[in-house]
Amino acid sequence: MGRMMRLAGIAGMIVLFSCTLCLAQSNEECQECHDDPEATGENERRGEYSVYVDDEVYSNSIHGDLDCIECHEELEGVDFPHDEIETRKVECGLCHEDAVAEVSHSVHSPKFRDRAPDIPGCSDCHGVHDILAVDDPASSVSKANQPRTCAVCHADEEITERNRIVLPDVISHYAESIHSRLIRSGNTEAATCSDCHHGHEILSPLEQHSTIFKPNIPKTCGACHEDALAQYDISLHAQSLNAGNKDAPVCTDCHSEHDILKPENPAAPTHGFNVAVEVCSPCHASERLAKKYGFRWRQVKSFSESYHGLALRGGKSTVANCGSCHGVHDILPSSDPRSRINPANLQETCGACHPNATENFARGSIHFTTELAENKLTYFVRMFYIFLITVTIGFMFIHNGLDFVHRVRILYRNKYPDLLPHQRSV
Ligand code: HEC
Ligand code: HEC
Ligand code: HEC
Ligand code: HEC
Ligand code: HEC
Ligand code: HEC
Ligand code: HEC
Ligand code: HEC
Ligand code: HEC
Ligand code: HEC
Ligand code: HEC
């Protein structure tokens, strides 16, 4: 008997449940009015506006299986027509708690709207009734479409000014990069905005948890460039960075961040012709850094005066640049036995281009310089020569000059004997 009661109870509940279902406003019901391109609403703030919801677009969206009222909770149980409705903002967080939490402590947090009125809401990046799966190539946040979505604000002069957005040229710089080119040509392995910044948890480079906080950058790029990262991790530059030295270079100091180019591209700072001047110089030609870290030479200057530097400036591409001898990612000081410029390895390093390089050939000072602080003997020898040359040439000029004046005077004397003060004629 008790069992029968229970069964009847369950049956009752099922009936009640299906009844709520038939009372619930179905999507078809809503779409009877809203799947009409002419459907409009009107209020004071917006005047007349469209309330058209394209049923095909909605059904094909990632939310196509949801009931309209799962998002438009405010309409639950409301009778049609419902023009008296005070619409409340749709809460995406009802189902996407994590996304809301991530955005809330990012640069796009709604709490910054006082200062920056154009902070995006979920729909600014994702759309409304047309939201697609993130990995759908047509999604507004797919790898290829993301830059365009961010550009709505980040490339809009008015918006970047009004919100004082940093790096207003970021979109056009990125568009030039190898990453952008690859993605546009269909290679989805390359990096788009969210690969380096995250899609929601976008943080300022000053924050320690940020993907673009300087010490975290090698890891951010290294997620895709494992080989480069593994090599970089060996380097003195990485050791120095890990010891807390903010002057040490990370990937972006040498490659830049948005307009990264292939090293084969002559416009790339990492191209052989440009490495010395554009990559290593900003730090290694800096007197401040040289003093601070005791770099032993003014390497850049000595390099540009060397046969390699001169030939490089002359346009010879086969010649050595800083990277050919030091490596680029795994740079180590000469004292380290693994270093390419450790005396034991020099023959091999130079030998890559000078097949007949002997030990002696390799030992010649590469960073030969004539400045006092670096090389006293050469300095004095050079000074002595300069002195000798100046004096010799000086004497020659004085002698020839005097002789010239003398001859002119004689010429005049002979032609116009009365013009010049009287002198003994020759
Ligand atoms: C009988 C026709 C009709 C039906 C059925 C209908 N709507 Fe509407 N809806 C309208 C009209 C007309 C407006 C514009 C109202 C106005 O001017 O305030 C509107 C406005 C809206 C708005 C925007 C309100 C605003 O202020 O911007 C939402 C959201 C909405 N409807 C959702 C729904 C949902 C969800 C359903 C189904 C549960 C539904 N509607 C069913 C006619 C209808
Ligand atoms: C995933 C959540 C979601 C679902 C599901 C959804 N909507 Fe919306 N809808 C939104 C959002 C977000 C807005 C914009 C609200 C705002 O700006 O405050 C919106 C706005 C609207 C508007 C007003 C348009 C305007 O310009 O103000 C109408 C009408 C509407 N929805 C109807 C529907 C109908 C009909 C369905 C079902 C077929 C539906 N919605 C399903 C999220 C949803
Ligand atoms: C600045 C643009 C932007 C804003 C604002 C934004 N998103 Fe996203 N969202 C993205 C990007 C880009 C991705 C895909 C990249 C990724 O994998 O992180 C994404 C991915 C998602 C995903 C799928 C992956 C995941 O993280 O679960 C969901 C769900 C999502 N967003 C919901 C939301 C919601 C809800 C909001 C509002 C609280 C929101 N998004 C705000 C850009 C944005
Ligand atoms: C009633 C629950 C609900 C609400 C509210 C809701 N969504 Fe969703 N959303 C879902 C479900 C369910 C999926 C599908 C998840 C899946 O297929 O993995 C989804 C998927 C998504 C995806 C694609 C995620 C992916 O992995 O590709 C995005 C983006 C997204 N929603 C954004 C939003 C935004 C923006 C809003 C607010 C306008 C919102 N959602 C409101 C339930 C919801
Ligand atoms: C609807 C406009 C809008 C969209 C779309 C948008 N942003 Fe922003 N973004 C802003 C505003 C406004 C700020 C400034 C926030 C501040 O000053 O606090 C900002 C700040 C930033 C910052 C920090 C720089 C700064 O000036 O503080 C980064 C990084 C960023 N956005 C990346 C992105 C990425 C990546 C996307 C695309 C996935 C994107 N944004 C989409 C409006 C937008
Ligand atoms: C390959 C990695 C990478 C990609 C791809 C990338 N960024 Fe960046 N972005 C960075 C790094 C690293 C920085 C930090 C530069 C610095 O330290 O000043 C940065 C800085 C920024 C800033 C300034 C942040 C601030 O607060 O100073 C904005 C805005 C920005 N990026 C937007 C974008 C947008 C939008 C896209 C996509 C079109 C994008 N980025 C793509 C790596 C990347
Ligand atoms: C989402 C993965 C991803 C991230 C993150 C990423 N890259 Fe890339 N990058 C690629 C892919 C894929 C290629 C093209 C394949 C290749 O040549 O390795 C590429 C190409 C390059 C190239 C040209 C390589 C060549 O052989 O011509 C350089 C340089 C580069 N990336 C530097 C960086 C730097 C620096 C960062 C961080 C600021 C970074 N990348 C972040 C995926 C990524
Ligand atoms: C001290 C400067 C410097 C740093 C730091 C640096 N690179 Fe490079 N990178 C270069 C130069 C120069 C080249 C060009 C080498 C060549 O011509 O073969 C290069 C080449 C590359 C290439 C092309 C393929 C290859 O391996 O030769 C990739 C990818 C790359 N770097 C990624 C990275 C990543 C990721 C980081 C950070 C973990 C990084 N780089 C750090 C200077 C640097
Ligand atoms: C962002 C600045 C920066 C850039 C760019 C940079 N370096 Fe350095 N480099 C340093 C600093 C700082 C040190 C010293 C680290 C320490 O001693 O802790 C260093 C150390 C070195 C050393 C070891 C010096 C010694 O006396 O032990 C060599 C060799 C070197 N770098 C070569 C290069 C080459 C070659 C390039 C270009 C491909 C380059 N660096 C690019 C900052 C830089
Ligand atoms: C032809 C090969 C070659 C080229 C090109 C070259 N170097 Fe060197 N570099 C060396 C050798 C060998 C040493 C160590 C012996 C010496 O100092 O002569 C050295 C020493 C250094 C040192 C001191 C590191 C130490 O541990 O002794 C720095 C810093 C340095 N070079 C930076 C540069 C920079 C920056 C460039 C480019 C502007 C450059 N080098 C170009 C071969 C080269
Ligand atoms: C990337 C290839 C490359 C590397 C590595 C290299 N060189 Fe050279 N070197 C050249 C080329 C090419 C020339 C010819 C320059 C010219 O046309 O004036 C040259 C010229 C020279 C000259 C001038 C005399 C001559 O033989 O033409 C000397 C000396 C020299 N290199 C020494 C060295 C030493 C020492 C090393 C190692 C520390 C070294 N090079 C590493 C390519 C290289």
Side-chain angles (χ1 to χ4, degrees):
M1 198 47 200
R3 194 158 168 240
M4 280 298 283
M5 284 287 283
R6 222 178 302 146
L7 274 180
I10 291 171
M13 270 166 72
I14 291 173
V15 171
L16 222 139
F17 184 55
S18 24
C19 238
T20 358
L21 272 187
C22 54
L23 286 179
Q25 306 111 312
S26 68
N27 287 7
E28 291 76 49
E29 238 174 316
C30 311
Q31 290 299 57
E32 259 172 43
C33 297
H34 285 288
D35 186 23
D36 171 8
E38 310 284 303
T40 55
E42 196 173 350
N43 64 23
E44 262 177 41
R45 189 171 55 86
R46 294 166 73 186
E48 200 179 14
Y49 64 95
S50 169
V51 291
Y52 172 47
V53 178
D54 187 325
D55 200 51
E56 202 181 318
V57 169
Y58 176 73
S59 305
N60 288 329
S61 82
I62 189 91
H63 297 125
D65 291 336
L66 296 185
D67 289 339
C68 309
I69 53 165
E70 286 186 73
C71 283
H72 292 290
E73 274 190 316
E74 70 275 14
L75 288 169
E76 204 168 341
V78 172
D79 287 336
F80 306 125
H82 54 72
D83 42 47
E84 297 301 319
I85 269 277
E86 260 299 310
T87 25
R88 173 170 71 78
K89 268 233 173 255
V90 172
E91 293 283 353
C92 310
L94 285 175
C95 308
H96 299 292
E97 254 177 70
D98 292 354
V100 173
E102 285 167 1
V103 172
S104 74
H105 64 263
S106 79
V107 293
H108 293 139
S109 171
K111 67 176 180 249
F112 296 137
R113 286 223 172 91
D114 289 344
R115 167 183 88 205
D118 297 301
I119 293 272
C122 312
S123 293
D124 287 313
C125 292
H126 289 289
V128 182
H129 299 119
D130 54 351
I131 299 175
L132 298 172
V134 167
D135 56 12
D136 186 323
S139 158
S140 61
V141 296
S142 70
K143 284 223 164 192
N145 291 338
Q146 240 179 72
R148 223 171 296 142
T149 299
C150 311
V152 168
C153 298
H154 284 271
D156 183 305
E157 207 178 321
E158 221 182 293
I159 292 178
T160 53
E161 265 174 33
R162 180 164 58 226
N163 298 272
R164 279 180 240 125
I165 291 179
V166 190
L167 305 186
D169 295 330
V170 63
I171 302 291
S172 55
H173 282 304
Y174 171 76
E176 288 167 18
S177 74
I178 177 69
H179 291 138
S180 168
R181 270 164 220 250
L182 286 169
I183 289 179
R184 278 180 285 145
S185 70
N187 175 340
T188 51
E189 304 281 292
T192 189
C193 317
S194 64
D195 289 311
C196 296
H197 288 283
H198 200 275
H200 297 150
E201 236 169 339
I202 301 175
L203 299 173
S204 146
L206 303 175
E207 287 198 53
Q208 292 204 359
H209 303 297
S210 173
T211 50
I212 56 167
F213 179 55
K214 184 164 179 176
N216 298 341
I217 287 176
K219 203 168 128 231
T220 300
C221 310
C224 304
H225 296 289
E226 289 167 23
D227 293 351
L229 177 64
Q231 286 193 334
Y232 173 77
D233 275 342
I234 301 169
S235 73
L236 178 68
H237 288 148
Q239 292 167 29
S240 190
L241 180 82
N242 293 334
N245 177 2
K246 289 272 176 71
D247 290 326
V250 296
C251 321
T252 47
D253 288 305
C254 300
H255 289 282
S256 80
E257 52 271 337
H258 296 121
D259 44 6
I260 298 172
L261 300 173
K262 280 168 90 68
E264 293 88 72
N265 186 331
T270 50
H271 184 273
F273 280 134
N274 306 329
V275 167
V277 175
E278 292 182 32
V279 176
C280 315
S281 286
C283 297
H284 285 278
S286 152
E287 222 170 317
R288 182 181 72 82
L289 290 183
K291 279 207 181 106
K292 191 164 165 193
Y293 297 100
F295 300 143
R296 280 196 289 126
W297 281 283
R298 293 183 176 88
Q299 269 72 17
V300 177
K301 185 158 187 285
S302 59
F303 170 76
S304 66
E305 284 172 359
S306 75
Y307 24 82
H308 292 128
L310 290 171
L312 203 60
R313 270 187 286 168
K316 194 165 178 142
S317 58
T318 49
V319 85
N321 65 60
C322 318
S324 329
C325 300
H326 290 279
V328 290
H329 295 142
D330 54 358
I331 294 172
L332 288 165
S334 52
S335 53
D336 191 304
R338 293 169 298 172
S339 169
R340 283 164 225 248
I341 55 157
N342 180 278
N345 304 332
L346 269 182
Q347 204 177 343
E348 192 186 325
T349 302
C350 312
C353 303
H354 301 284
N356 303 322
T358 60
E359 222 168 291
N360 270 341
F361 173 82
R363 214 177 268 146
S365 184
I366 284 304
H367 289 291
F368 181 81
T369 169
T370 50
E371 283 178 50
L372 174 60
E374 314 289 355
N375 192 335
K376 292 202 168 59
L377 181 65
T378 344
Y379 177 82
F380 286 119
V381 170
R382 180 167 178 252
M383 279 304 154
F384 177 70
Y385 271 108
I386 290 176
F387 172 76
L388 214 65
I389 290 166
T390 319
V391 169
T392 313
I393 292 180
F395 266 124
M396 199 179 80
F397 266 114
I398 293 169
H399 173 265
N400 287 4
L402 285 176
D403 186 56
F404 181 71
V405 171
H406 186 60
R407 279 167 201 274
V408 170
R409 277 174 157 265
I410 290 165
L411 222 81
Y412 267 87
R413 164 80 30 82
N414 291 344
K415 221 166 176 186
Y416 316 103
D418 298 331
L419 269 180
L420 289 171
H422 188 74
Q423 265 190 16
R424 185 174 61 90
S425 67
V426 192

